[in-house]
Amino acid sequence: MSEFIKIYQDKPSEAAIKKVVDVLKDGGLIIYPTDTVYGLGCDITNSRALEKIAKIKGIKLEKANFSFVCSDLSNLSDYVKQIDTSTFKILKRALPGPYTFILPGNNDLPKEFRKKKTVGIRVPDNNIAREIVKLLGNPIVSTSIHDEDDVIEYSTDPELIFEKWNNKVDLVIDGGYGDNVASTIIDLTNYEPEVIREGKGSLDIL
């Protein structure tokens, strides 16, 4: 049975954020709000937790396209190769915001992701998500939670999410209703930006 805690986006409680971070450091899985849909996340440095997420998603870990959720752009260089000025300008314009940017990964990626040439980077415009990552001290690996209902692709009600997920994860955060439109995915690894999926984020940033 997982924990269900309420955290307010406009002023996240430090004690509540610390509780979430303790769960992550302990190898736990969390469901948390972003500026788009609710996400399923774990500590990027915890192999056991990464395996658990891959199992839930029914995929092999080395094949998974998870996003790395960062608190800002300052720790980009931990996992991403040096990027040019025009790429950096796009990131600065768009983030924090509802975008996932695909960037070239470097050799410092966690061993589970070394075979991948690229990484998906997210800096959500959501104080809860960013405060968690900030206190944790490194990104969380994240994936959207899909709903089996064909009409509603993503669950937006935290209580319904908790009902459905409470035996699969360690903690669910109620950060208010989520969105049901996923992030816009843009590939910045080539000469020209390529839109992989048009979602919530506007393309005016390109």
Side-chain angles (χ1 to χ4, degrees):
M1 183 78 169
S2 55
E3 263 190 276
F4 188 54
I5 62 171
K6 175 87 185 159
I7 303 181
Y8 295 94
Q9 219 257 114
D10 50 354
K11 202 164 185 275
S13 135
E14 280 178 35
I17 296 291
K18 185 180 181 311
K19 190 180 230 181
V20 177
V21 168
D22 287 345
V23 167
L24 289 168
K25 284 184 173 168
D26 203 30
L29 306 188
I30 65 165
I31 288 180
Y32 68 100
T34 70
D35 50 357
T36 57
V37 299
Y38 266 79
L40 166 66
C42 74
D43 183 344
I44 196 172
T45 65
N46 192 299
S47 302
R48 209 175 67 241
L50 290 169
E51 289 286 0
K52 279 195 274 186
I53 285 196
K55 196 173 174 190
I56 284 175
K57 296 293 276 190
I59 44 179
K60 282 199 157 61
L61 184 52
E62 58 275 14
K63 294 212 163 70
N65 288 320
F66 294 142
S67 302
F68 292 7
V69 175
C70 305
S71 56
D72 55 34
L73 290 174
S74 66
N75 46 8
L76 255 197
S77 57
D78 292 353
Y79 299 115
V80 171
K81 280 182 185 164
Q82 200 166 358
I83 49 180
D84 60 32
T85 313
S86 60
T87 301
F88 191 72
K89 280 182 177 164
I90 292 173
L91 297 176
K92 283 290 275 187
R93 269 200 298 278
L95 300 174
Y99 300 90
T100 302
F101 287 105
I102 297 172
L103 296 164
N106 66 19
N107 296 331
D108 295 327
L109 284 171
K111 64 179 187 301
E112 291 81 5
F113 302 107
R114 295 260 167 84
K115 287 185 181 153
K116 296 183 82 63
K117 300 274 187 286
T118 59
V119 290
I121 297 290
R122 277 276 271 132
V123 182
D125 188 11
N126 179 290
N127 291 333
I128 298 168
R130 290 209 314 276
E131 287 300 322
I132 291 167
V133 176
K134 212 179 283 179
L135 188 59
L136 182 62
N138 52 255
I140 52 181
V141 161
S142 185
T143 179
S144 304
I145 58 166
H146 283 263
D147 210 305
E148 271 83 59
D149 186 324
D150 289 339
V151 184
I152 319 164
E153 196 180 350
Y154 298 100
S155 302
T156 58
D157 181 338
E159 290 192 9
L160 292 178
I161 292 170
F162 178 65
E163 243 171 68
K164 183 179 164 185
W165 286 83
N166 75 7
N167 292 319
K168 293 181 187 168
V169 300
D170 301 276
L171 185 143
V172 176
I173 296 170
D174 174 359
Y177 273 84
D179 208 320
N180 60 356
V181 181
S183 64
T184 290
I185 302 175
I186 300 170
D187 187 340
L188 296 179
T189 58
N190 299 310
Y191 187 65
E192 286 288 320
E194 184 190 349
V195 179
I196 306 292
R197 175 181 77 195
E198 205 169 329
K200 190 175 174 185
S202 154
L203 298 178
D204 295 351
I205 52 131
L206 298 175

